[in-house]
């Protein structure tokens, strides 16, 4: 029940960086709100994506070993949903290193990230597409991520 950091976003195209985060190193956003009886945890880059689907965010496109340990400690199947950009490819590579599942949902063809998919298609469809798009084979993940 204490503020431990914040994320700010600009909507002006000329302002860089678009997001500004202030938080402790190795912080995993929303990890405290993960249900104990859930079968999986969805890992995304940003807090808005995490809030949209009740997942967790690593607040970057690269997951540290400490963050990976925190996520693995939940004892659930880890499903990574990366943004559809060059940074997302780094996150997918990280997921393969940690032995996590990666999802390539059908809405990646029309949306750049989870939050955009929820806005466009709704939470239920977005989550169903994430589950339907799961891949755990490292070779198949690498091949599919080459298209991102």
């Amino acid at each position: 029940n204490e503020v431990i950091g914040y994320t700010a976003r600009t909507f002006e195209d000329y302002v860089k960086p678009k997001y500004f985060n202030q938080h402790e190193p190795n912080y995993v956003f929303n990890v405290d709100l993960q249900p104990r009886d859930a079968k999986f945890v969805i890992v995304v880059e940003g807090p808005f994506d995490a809030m949209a689907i009740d997942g967790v965010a690593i607040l970057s496109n690269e997951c540290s070993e400490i963050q990976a340990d925190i996520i693995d400690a939940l004892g659930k199947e880890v499903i990574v949903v990366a943004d559809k950009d060059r940074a997302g490819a780094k996150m997918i590579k990280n997921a393969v290193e940690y032995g996590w599942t990666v999802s390539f949902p059908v809405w990646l063809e029309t949306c750049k990230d989870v939050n955009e998919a929820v806005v466009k298609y709704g939470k239920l469809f977005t989550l169903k597409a994430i589950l339907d798009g799961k891949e755990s084979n490292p070779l198949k993940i690498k091949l599919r991520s080459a298209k991102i």
Side-chain angles (χ1 to χ4, degrees):
N1 293 328
E2 293 181 32
V3 175
I4 58 171
Y6 65 90
T7 297
R9 183 194 195 284
T10 182
F11 292 95
E12 302 294 334
D13 290 336
Y14 62 88
V15 177
K16 301 293 180 200
K18 183 171 37 172
Y19 289 94
F20 181 79
N21 296 303
Q22 182 66 41
H23 53 80
E24 293 295 318
N26 302 307
Y27 180 66
V28 178
F29 176 83
N30 221 23
V31 73
D32 55 322
L33 297 178
Q34 297 305 297
R36 292 182 203 211
D37 60 344
K39 294 181 180 180
F40 55 85
V41 58
I42 299 174
V43 179
V44 294
E45 290 181 35
F48 299 108
D49 296 326
M51 288 185 287
I53 56 162
D54 301 318
V56 300
I58 57 171
L59 307 174
S60 173
N61 62 335
E62 293 187 67
C63 185
S64 72
E65 287 187 31
I66 293 171
Q67 288 174 308
D69 289 344
I70 292 168
I71 294 166
D72 282 337
L74 293 170
K76 302 169 187 342
E77 177 185 6
V78 179
I79 305 170
V80 173
V81 184
D83 289 358
K84 186 181 176 181
D85 57 16
R86 192 174 296 155
K90 286 183 183 179
M91 189 171 176
I92 292 170
K93 183 180 177 195
N94 232 196
V96 170
E97 291 171 5
Y98 293 127
W100 293 343
T101 299
V102 176
S103 180
F104 300 92
V106 295
W107 48 256
L108 273 180
E109 295 175 12
T110 57
C111 300
K112 65 178 174 42
D113 61 25
V114 168
N115 189 51
E116 185 177 325
V118 170
V119 169
K120 188 170 185 173
Y121 299 114
K123 183 177 177 179
L124 184 60
F125 175 81
T126 301
L127 285 169
K128 175 81 166 92
I130 289 170
L131 295 176
D132 289 346
K134 291 187 323 180
E135 182 56 65
S136 57
N137 181 299
L139 179 58
K140 288 182 180 181
I141 292 169
K142 288 177 187 176
L143 292 172
R144 291 189 73 179
S145 68
K147 297 176 184 178
I148 292 181

